[in-house]
Amino acid sequence: MKDSIIEFDNVSFTYDGTEEEQKERLPAVKEVTLSIKKGEFVSVLGHNGSGKSTLAKLCNAILIPQSGKVTVCGMDTADESLIYDIREKVGMVFQNPDNQIVATIVEDDVAFGPENLGVEPKEIRRRVDESLKAVGMYEFREYEPHKLSGGQKQRVAIAGIIAMRTDCIVFDEPTAMIDPKGRAEVMETAKKLNRENGITVIFITHFMEEAAEADRVVVMDDGRVLLDGTPARVFGERETIRKIGLEIPSAANLADMLKENGIELESDVLTPSDCIDAVYEAARKAGVCS
Amino acid sequence: MSAVIEAVNLTHLYGEKTLFETAAIKNIDLAVENGEFLGIIGHTGSGKSTLIQHFNGLLKPTTGKILLDGKDIAESKESIRAARFKVGLCFQYPEYQLFEETVYKDIAFGPKNMGLDDDETDRRVRRAARFVGLSDSYLKKSPFDLSGGEKRRAAIAGVIAMEPEALILDEPAAGLDPRGRDMILSFIKEYRQETGRTVILVSHSMDDIAKLATKVLVMNKGEVAMIGTVDEIFSRSEELFKMGLNVPQVTKIFLGLKEKGVPVRTDIYTNEQGCRELLRVFGRSVKE
């Protein structure tokens, strides 16, 4: 497909079994067919062990499928000669901010990627500044990374990726280890890069509220894609979501409780701001406020 | 109520007398009452972890002291050792600390260290495993064969098995999926109801704190910024936002409604309270 950036065509992946792993040799990802379009913001949900992280690692040739095919901008990830081109297109941000910072100064860390790609020094300087500005960390460029908060470290990691002129960023639970402010910073940065720079975002998370803000939600279960659609559609499948151990966003849950008690809200509620708008409308109609 | 843990003018400096000297916590006065469920919130680097590591003597105060049941824990070697058993501290990602051949042995490590006999150790291991929802069949397994959530629960059981007067959990649900998170939080709740012992929970989830805690401590830049009931703390949303913290999601919704002119109360911290409040505003009754 022309407007897609990553294509999964009937992809299966099983982790190699060394002796102790052998008993758990079930495929982590099974027969997944999925197309990620350019410019999309896709969140991926699923319980621990559902195959989300494996799916993420298949996106930029960290893992290669045993059957089926993953292509990035038309390049087969199984073709070793294309690996650098693929990683230039698709970058990853991981869960633990401390595991992905390599340098002792913020700007050196951001320069690491483009340096590895053999970019001209002048151009590197330009990209580093630009990337740090894009994630709102420019004023920290001369800081030592260990002096930063979790959210700030994650933003530096993101800057390191966009400095490579990546088209797509895969976030693997980037907010699991950081505080509320840091979480909001990372989410805002991902949204801004998607909106303003047209970067495709794949956002793996356990937080339903974060998923609710995506254009599209993919739910993994037992290595397969179980649900795929807009947040409203996916979270509309209340039964399925609960059955596989996920939950619906807290605001949607409140809307359900209201409905059970006879207060029907007219629009779909997923985020707190949806809920405020819908309840406000209902309150106006009921003459409770002006 | 009497205090089980008290911090008296507690200060801890990292890199003391070097260029990098920073106060991780300063001048903290605090009493944790017996049987209380204390929630601790604060941004990264606010001093939460430094504080709780003083509670069982893992860190020594630079100045000030920690009292356990009224006695200074730094009094003697024995009193520091006793503090380790009286105050059970469960770190973040405790599953990385599992090391024994079987889940049973891992949970038994603490009680054995306390010098308890086999019968008592066995009783405690089984009780702790039951609390965290691990059935007997798990006890024979290698901890490394468990799933992430199960490992986490086994590690927490190891602390519970010491039957500490106060159980401290640092982000026990971080990184788990909703089902794993619920399981951990509900057994913590049951544990407290059943034993009546003190629980201290450090969390970034305002929703969890609002649901569970009887008292909330807010740390900011190494100091106690606020301490009070859930109601007293989360009604100060503006100050919390300034500290990089948050209020429960449902509280945000009610603050937003109020701003738009819907005549709602804003001291709403759970969806159940929220539903009841809106029914009241809409003049409906709650269906049973």
Side-chain angles (χ1 to χ4, degrees):
Chain A
M1 257 183 281
K2 213 174 149 211
D3 62 342
S4 81
I5 182 155
I6 303 176
E7 289 275 343
F8 280 73
D9 182 12
N10 200 23
V11 171
S12 296
F13 181 86
T14 309
Y15 285 96
D16 279 343
T18 55
E19 275 166 66
E20 76 247 44
E21 285 156 8
Q22 287 214 325
K23 50 193 155 313
E24 298 191 27
R25 243 186 170 190
L26 297 165
V29 163
K30 286 179 218 165
E31 295 154 16
V32 168
T33 297
L34 192 67
S35 164
I36 306 292
K37 292 192 192 64
K38 277 199 179 111
E40 260 188 324
F41 194 120
V42 184
S43 68
V44 182
L45 291 175
H47 58 79
N48 292 113
S50 62
K52 301 184 304 294
S53 293
T54 309
L55 188 80
K57 291 183 181 124
L58 286 162
C59 285
N60 72 344
I62 294 176
L63 299 175
I64 310 295
Q66 281 106 359
S67 69
K69 193 161 98 169
V70 179
T71 48
V72 173
C73 299
M75 296 179 281
D76 188 342
T77 60
D79 184 344
E80 258 181 69
S81 67
L82 296 174
I83 211 158
Y84 283 94
D85 299 306
I86 288 167
R87 301 241 169 107
E88 262 187 84
K89 296 282 179 199
V90 181
M92 279 192 84
V93 175
F94 297 96
Q95 187 180 104
N96 189 341
D98 294 321
N99 290 352
Q100 46 194 329
I101 305 260
V102 292
T104 52
I105 298 289
V106 165
E107 59 182 8
D108 290 353
D109 194 77
V110 177
F112 183 80
E115 266 171 4
N116 259 347
L117 297 176
V119 175
E120 291 282 305
K122 255 192 197 151
E123 171 67 9
I124 292 180
R125 180 74 257 172
R126 218 170 54 81
R127 288 193 190 184
V128 166
D129 290 347
E130 216 178 79
S131 310
L132 282 169
K133 280 177 189 158
V135 300
M137 289 296 292
Y138 183 68
E139 62 203 280
F140 295 93
R141 63 192 178 281
E142 289 176 0
Y143 273 56
E144 294 170 34
H146 71 266
K147 299 242 164 100
L148 304 177
S149 73
Q152 290 171 331
K153 283 182 204 162
Q154 287 298 54
R155 286 190 284 155
V156 171
I158 296 170
I161 289 171
I162 55 180
M164 296 193 289
R165 291 281 186 272
T166 304
D167 296 327
C168 172
I169 305 180
V170 182
F171 293 85
D172 192 0
E173 290 188 52
T175 56
M177 299 178 82
I178 55 186
D179 63 15
K181 184 162 172 247
R183 271 176 62 190
E185 286 168 6
V186 171
M187 191 68 195
E188 277 316 307
T189 305
K191 277 163 65 179
K192 177 172 168 267
L193 291 173
N194 176 255
R195 210 172 44 230
E196 293 172 16
N197 305 40
I199 290 177
T200 308
V201 171
I202 301 175
F203 202 94
I204 298 177
T205 183
H206 280 319
F207 295 106
M208 304 299 139
E209 311 86 66
E210 292 177 349
E213 295 189 41
D215 301 327
R216 174 179 169 197
V217 179
V218 171
V219 177
M220 298 286 295
D221 184 49
D222 205 10
R224 295 176 198 273
V225 173
L226 186 69
L227 297 170
D228 181 356
T230 60
R233 232 207 85 216
V234 167
F235 288 117
E237 305 277 340
R238 303 278 202 260
E239 285 307 305
T240 314
I241 292 284
R242 292 205 180 94
K243 201 180 75 206
I244 61 166
L246 299 181
E247 54 192 14
I248 57 168
S250 173
N253 194 20
L254 177 63
D256 281 3
M257 290 168 77
L258 292 173
K259 192 173 169 185
E260 276 165 33
N261 284 285
I263 300 180
E264 193 85 32
L265 302 178
E266 285 182 8
S267 46
D268 280 326
V269 168
L270 289 171
T271 64
S273 69
D274 296 343
C275 188
I276 293 168
D277 293 342
V279 172
Y280 172 65
E281 271 314 305
R284 254 176 16 122
K285 282 203 177 135
V288 174
C289 68
S290 51
Chain B
M1 275 208 284
S2 61
V4 53
I5 304 172
E6 275 176 275
V8 183
N9 197 21
L10 184 69
T11 294
H12 190 95
L13 303 174
Y14 284 120
E16 204 188 346
K17 292 176 190 135
T18 71
L19 273 171
F20 305 105
E21 181 175 299
T22 39
I25 48 175
K26 50 194 168 202
N27 311 324
I28 298 212
D29 284 300
L30 177 75
V32 183
E33 305 289 338
N34 212 343
E36 183 164 80
F37 195 131
L38 178 71
I40 305 184
I41 58 179
H43 60 86
T44 317
S46 61
K48 303 183 300 283
S49 298
T50 306
L51 178 67
I52 58 175
Q53 287 179 62
H54 282 85
F55 288 169
N56 74 343
L58 277 182
L59 287 178
K60 267 193 192 160
T62 307
T63 57
K65 58 187 172 184
I66 294 284
L67 307 179
L68 265 191
D69 295 324
K71 274 190 245 153
D72 188 345
I73 63 169
E75 219 172 60
S76 62
K77 264 194 175 162
E78 291 72 41
S79 64
I80 291 184
R81 190 173 151 79
R84 302 273 153 81
F85 303 128
K86 273 189 183 170
V87 178
L89 178 57
C90 192
F91 288 105
Q92 271 181 50
Y93 296 85
E95 59 274 27
Y96 296 135
Q97 298 168 36
L98 294 168
F99 67 100
E100 279 281 14
E101 284 165 28
T102 65
V103 172
Y104 186 97
K105 282 189 186 169
D106 218 294
I107 302 177
F109 184 78
K112 278 238 156 88
N113 240 346
M114 295 169 78
L116 298 173
D117 63 38
D118 287 353
D119 284 351
E120 177 61 10
T121 300
D122 185 69
R123 185 190 70 77
R124 291 188 173 202
V125 169
R126 291 181 193 281
R127 184 163 178 257
R130 189 171 50 78
F131 266 126
V132 302
L134 293 175
S135 62
D136 278 356
S137 63
Y138 279 96
L139 296 175
K140 284 176 249 114
K141 287 190 185 179
S142 158
F144 304 102
D145 288 341
L146 307 185
S147 75
E150 288 163 352
K151 272 187 207 166
R152 176 84 55 95
R153 286 186 277 142
I156 299 176
V159 180
I160 289 181
M162 298 195 300
E163 302 194 346
E165 278 180 45
L167 174 66
I168 307 180
L169 301 148
D170 191 355
E171 289 272 10
L176 295 182
D177 60 24
R179 187 174 280 168
R181 205 153 64 210
D182 278 354
M183 214 174 234
I184 297 233
L185 295 173
S186 64
F187 87 64
I188 294 170
K189 205 171 156 188
E190 277 162 32
Y191 165 85
R192 182 170 170 272
Q193 275 164 357
E194 212 170 297
T195 62
R197 292 183 187 220
T198 310
V199 175
I200 300 177
L201 174 71
V202 178
S203 177
H204 284 320
S205 165
M206 306 299 139
D207 288 72
D208 294 347
I209 295 282
K211 269 182 231 158
L212 295 169
T214 55
K215 202 200 263 175
V216 183
L217 166 69
V218 183
M219 295 288 294
N220 188 42
K221 296 181 180 156
E223 293 180 85
V224 173
M226 308 178 195
I227 184 159
T229 61
V230 166
D231 206 358
E232 285 161 356
I233 300 302
F234 289 123
S235 61
R236 296 163 72 177
S237 52
E238 284 305 315
E239 290 163 79
L240 291 172
F241 295 147
K242 271 190 205 127
M243 286 183 242
L245 296 172
N246 220 326
V247 293
Q249 283 211 47
V250 64
T251 314
K252 257 192 196 159
I253 293 173
F254 279 78
L255 288 169
L257 287 172
K258 179 98 186 170
E259 213 180 282
K260 286 200 155 203
V262 184
V264 288
R265 296 165 52 151
T266 53
D267 55 346
I268 303 292
Y269 311 109
T270 63
N271 277 350
E272 288 71 22
Q273 291 172 348
C275 181
R276 243 177 295 156
E277 171 63 2
L278 285 175
L279 291 174
R280 184 191 67 78
V281 169
F282 281 79
R284 307 278 179 91
S285 58
V286 185
K287 267 190 200 163
E288 290 306 321

